[in-house]
C-alpha cells in the first residue's frame, strides 16, 4: 500500500522509518518531512498544518492510508476532512482531538468520566486565579489550556512563581491565545510514565510502556521542554499498572468521548503519575509522543502499516503486537540555548559515524544547506539504541553519540537513569 504521513519531526521520522520497513507498505510520502525522512519517504513541501493543501495532496496522491503525526492538524480537523473525502485515516477528528487541544475540556471530561486526575480549577480571570493559588499554596501547577508544544506547564515551587505564571499566561504574554484560560492543579508526586494506546472505536490496544524526560537538565531539573529523551519499556509500568491505566483511564475517557459523539481513531496517550493512591492522569495527547515514538518504533516488530490501517478501518480486533524484548533509549540532541533562543544553520557532522556505531539517528529539527545537514529547530536529533538492559542501551547510545561532530549540540547524559537505578 501507499501511505501518506503528515509531519516533519522526530516522531514522523520514526513512523516513516518503520513504515518503510513494513512488508505491507510499498511507498511512503511525507508532508513536509525533513532531510532524515527523505531517506525513507518522498517528501512533499506542504506544511503539517496547511489543512486545505494536505487534503489536496491526498486527493492527488490517493494514498491507501494517511497517518497524521502532530496534534496541530488533528485539532484543526484534518482527519475529519480526509475521512469526508473517503480516505482511511489514522488520527482522531477535531472533536476528539480537543482532549489535547484544550486542557480545560480534558480535565472536565476526566471529572465527568471519573478518571483519576489532580484536583483542578479553570480560570480566565487573573485575580480569581491568584486567589486559588494563594488558598491552595505551593507547590502548585499552572497550565495554559491551549496547545503550547509541551511547554505551557509550570510546576511552581512557590506561590510567587505560580502567581507570576498565572498573570503571565492570562495577560497573553506567555503562550498567546493558548494561555487565555489557565488550569490550576494540585501538585502530584510519584514516578511518571507514558501509556499509549491504539484506539479504534471501542477497541483499545496498549502499546509497550515508555517514559520520557521533559525537563531540560539532568536529574529532571530546569524548565519543561518538548522532551529531552525517552526509553521503553518503563519498568515502573508493571502489568498491574498497565491494566489499571487501561481500565480506569483509557476505557472511560474513550467512552466519555463517544457519548459526546466523538469517536476516537488514533493514538491515545495518557501521561500518568504513579502516585501512592494509584495512577493519576497528568494529561492526554491524541498522537504518539515525541520522543517516545522513537524507542517504540525501534522496538516494534509488527508491520506498522497493517496495524494502523486496521485501526483506521475499525478492524483493530484482528491485530496483536509483537515487540523486541530489548530495551530502547532515545537521547534528544538540542540546539544550545533551547528552549529559549538558539542559532540555526550550524553544520552537523558525524551522523554516519553515529549510525555506524549502532544507533539510529532520527531527524527532528534539521534542514539542508547545500550538501550539509544543519540545525533548524530546538530539538534536532533523536539518537536511539537498543540493548539487553536499559543500562546497556544507555551505554550504546552515549557511545554512538561520542561520534557526533556538532559543538552547538547539547544533550542530557542521564536519559533512562531511573530504570538504570532499578536494574542496579
Ligand atoms: P502535561 O503537559 O500536562 O503533561 O505537563 C507536563 C509535565 O508537567 C508533566 O510531565 C509533569 O512532569 C508535570 N506536571 C503536570 N501536571 C502535574 C501535576 N498535577 N503535578 C505534578 N506535576 C505535574
Amino acid at each position: 500500500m501507499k501511505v501518506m504521513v503528515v509531519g516533519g519531526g522526530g516522531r514522523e521520522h520514526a513512523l516513516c522509518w518503520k513504515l518503510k520497513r513494513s512488508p505491507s507498505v510499498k511507498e511512503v510520502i511525507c508532508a513536509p518531512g525533513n532531510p532524515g525522512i527523505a531517506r525513507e519517504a518522498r517528501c512533499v513541501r506542504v506544511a503539517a498544518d496547511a489543512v486545505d493543501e494536505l487534503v489536496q495532496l491526498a486527493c492527488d496522491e490517493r494514498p491507501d492510508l494517511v497517518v497524521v503525526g502532530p496534534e496541530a492538524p488533528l485539532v484543526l480537523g484534518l482527519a475529519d476532512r480526509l475521512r469526508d473525502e473517503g480516505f482511511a485515516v489514522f488520527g482522531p477528528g477535531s472533536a476528539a482531538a480537543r482532549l489535547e487541544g484544550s486542557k480545560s475540556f480534558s480535565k472536565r471530561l476526566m471529572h465527568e468520566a471519573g478518571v483519576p486526575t489532580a484536583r483542578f480549577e479553570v480560570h480566565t480571570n487573573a485575580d480569581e486565579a491568584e486567589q486559588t493559588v494563594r488558598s491552595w499554596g505551593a507547590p502548585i501547577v499552572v497550565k495554559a489550556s491551549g496547545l503550547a508544544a509541551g511547554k505551557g506547564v509550570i510546576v511552581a515551587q512557590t506561590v510567587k512563581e505560580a502567581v507570576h505564571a498565572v498573570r503571565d499566561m492570562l495577560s497573553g504574554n506567555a503562550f498567546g491565545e493558548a494561555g487565555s484560560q489557565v488550569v490550576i492543579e494540585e501538585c502530584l508526586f510519584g514516578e511518571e510514565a507514558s501509556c499509549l494506546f491504539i484506539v479504534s472505536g471501542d477497541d483499545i490496544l496498549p502499546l509497550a510502556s515508555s517514559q520520557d524526560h521533559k525537563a531540560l537538565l539532568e536529574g529532571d531539573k530546569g524548565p519543561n521542554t518538548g522532551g529531552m529523551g525517552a526509553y521503553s519499556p518503563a519498568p515502573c509500568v508493571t502489568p498491574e499498572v498497565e491494566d489499571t491505566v487501561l481500565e480506569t483511564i483509557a476505557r472511560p475517557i474513550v467512552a466519555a468521548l463517544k457519548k459526546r459523539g466523538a469517536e476516537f481513531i488514533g493514538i491515545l496517550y495518557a501521561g500518568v503519575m504513579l502516585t501512592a493512591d494509584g495512577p493519576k492522569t497528568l494529561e492526554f495527547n491524541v498522537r504518539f509522543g515525541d520522543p517516545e515514538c522513537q524507542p517504540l518504533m525501534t522496538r516494534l516488530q509488527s508491520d506498522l502499516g497493517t496495524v494502523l490501517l486496521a485501526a483506521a478501518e475499525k478492524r483493530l480486533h484482528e491485530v496483536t503486537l509483537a515487540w523486541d524484548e530489548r530495551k530502547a533509549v532515545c537521547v534528544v540532541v538540542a540546539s544550545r540555548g533551547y528552549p529559549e533562543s538558539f542559532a540555526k544553520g550550524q553544520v552537523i557532522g558525524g551522523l554516519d559515524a553515529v549510525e555506524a556505531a549502532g544507533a539510529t539517528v532520527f531527524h527532528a529539527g534539521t534542514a539542508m544547506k547545500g550538501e550539509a545537514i544543519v540545525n533548524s529547530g530546538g530539538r534536532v536529533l533523536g539518537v536511539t539504541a537498543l540493548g539487553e538492559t536499559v543500562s546497556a542501551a544507555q551505554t550504546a547510545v552515549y557511545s554512538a553519540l561520542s561520534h557526533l561532530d556538532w559543538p552547538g549540540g547539547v544533550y542530557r547524559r542521564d536519559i533512562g537513569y531511573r530504570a538504570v537505578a532499578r536494574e542496579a
Side-chain angles (χ1 to χ4, degrees):
M1 71 173 122
K2 177 172 175 179
V3 185
M4 171 172 150
V5 175
V6 175
R11 163 185 47 222
E12 289 77 27
H13 189 177
L15 291 172
C16 289
W17 177 87
K18 189 67 202 166
L19 286 166
K20 172 89 176 292
R21 285 155 184 76
S22 301
S24 69
V25 176
K26 258 220 207 92
E27 190 187 356
V28 187
I29 61 172
C30 186
N34 67 35
I37 293 174
R39 293 186 307 202
E40 323 289 346
R42 176 158 55 87
C43 295
V44 185
R45 281 180 172 268
V46 176
D49 56 359
V51 172
D52 290 340
E53 290 170 60
L54 289 166
V55 173
Q56 186 57 52
L57 178 65
C59 291
D60 295 342
E61 294 281 350
R62 309 304 307 171
D64 302 289
L65 169 68
V66 184
V67 180
V68 184
E71 60 276 19
L74 292 168
V75 171
L76 291 172
L78 175 62
D80 305 298
R81 291 276 306 278
L82 290 166
R83 281 193 188 103
D84 288 348
E85 295 287 341
F87 291 103
V89 185
F90 187 77
S94 64
R98 278 185 81 199
L99 205 54
E100 174 163 5
S102 166
K103 284 190 192 284
S104 57
F105 168 79
S106 177
K107 291 291 285 193
R108 286 175 176 138
L109 198 66
M110 285 187 234
H111 186 66
E112 191 183 302
V115 167
T117 188
R119 179 164 74 115
F120 72 101
E121 281 184 10
V122 179
H123 287 281
T124 50
N125 177 290
D127 293 333
E128 286 168 20
E130 178 170 342
Q131 216 171 21
T132 297
V133 168
R134 292 199 184 281
S135 80
W136 290 13
I140 188 166
V141 182
V142 180
K143 301 184 175 182
S145 179
L147 290 181
K151 294 159 214 158
V153 175
I154 309 291
V155 182
Q157 298 306 323
T158 63
V159 166
K160 191 173 159 204
E161 191 188 344
V163 167
H164 180 263
V166 157
R167 295 210 169 263
D168 219 27
M169 286 181 193
L170 287 176
S171 69
N173 270 345
F175 314 116
E177 181 54 29
S180 62
Q181 263 194 337
V182 297
V183 176
I184 297 177
E185 276 185 27
E186 146 203 31
C187 192
L188 300 176
F189 299 95
E191 193 167 344
E192 279 183 62
S194 306
C195 297
L196 279 71
F197 303 88
I198 299 181
V199 180
S200 178
D202 295 329
D203 291 326
I204 305 184
L205 185 64
L207 295 178
S209 64
S210 57
Q211 193 171 73
D212 78 339
H213 294 270
K214 286 203 172 72
L216 180 68
L217 305 173
E218 278 153 32
D220 291 323
K221 304 273 182 347
N224 271 332
T225 69
M228 296 303 292
Y231 59 98
S232 170
C236 61
V237 182
T238 59
E240 189 193 347
V241 167
E242 187 178 290
D243 198 52
T244 306
V245 175
L246 174 64
E247 298 304 333
T248 68
I249 296 177
R251 280 200 203 287
I253 206 75
V254 169
L257 279 170
K258 189 174 173 185
K259 218 167 100 188
R260 294 186 170 220
E263 190 178 60
F264 200 106
I265 293 179
I267 294 289
L268 177 73
Y269 167 135
V272 297
M273 185 78 92
L274 305 179
T275 74
D277 300 329
K280 293 195 179 180
T281 315
L282 293 169
E283 65 164 343
F284 284 115
N285 295 322
V286 298
R287 36 79 194 172
F288 280 101
D290 186 348
E292 291 97 321
C293 188
Q294 289 81 318
L296 287 174
M297 289 306 113
T298 311
R299 291 188 60 225
L300 183 68
Q301 290 174 327
S302 311
D303 179 314
L304 182 65
T306 305
V307 172
L308 299 186
L309 183 65
E313 293 180 340
K314 307 241 309 237
R315 298 180 285 103
L316 189 60
H317 52 271
E318 295 173 5
V319 169
T320 50
L321 299 177
W323 299 94
D324 192 323
E325 286 296 319
R326 288 176 296 170
K327 325 295 182 209
V329 172
C330 169
V331 175
V332 169
V333 185
S335 303
R336 191 185 304 281
Y338 171 79
E340 306 289 329
S341 61
F342 51 86
K344 295 184 185 176
Q346 306 163 40
V347 174
I348 302 169
L351 292 172
D352 290 344
V354 173
E355 293 212 310
T360 305
V361 177
F362 295 113
H363 289 226
T366 65
M368 296 301 294
K369 190 156 108 188
E371 294 290 293
I373 288 177
V374 299
N375 70 323
S376 64
R379 294 188 302 152
V380 179
L381 306 169
V383 178
T384 309
L386 289 161
E388 294 301 327
T389 59
V390 176
S391 174
Q394 194 194 50
T395 304
V397 78
Y398 286 117
S399 148
L401 267 166
S402 68
H403 299 278
L404 184 71
D405 180 12
W406 176 28
V410 290
Y411 52 88
R412 281 179 55 168
R413 314 251 162 190
D414 66 344
I415 300 304
Y417 72 88
R418 284 202 182 83
V420 170
R422 271 173 200 258
E423 285 172 355

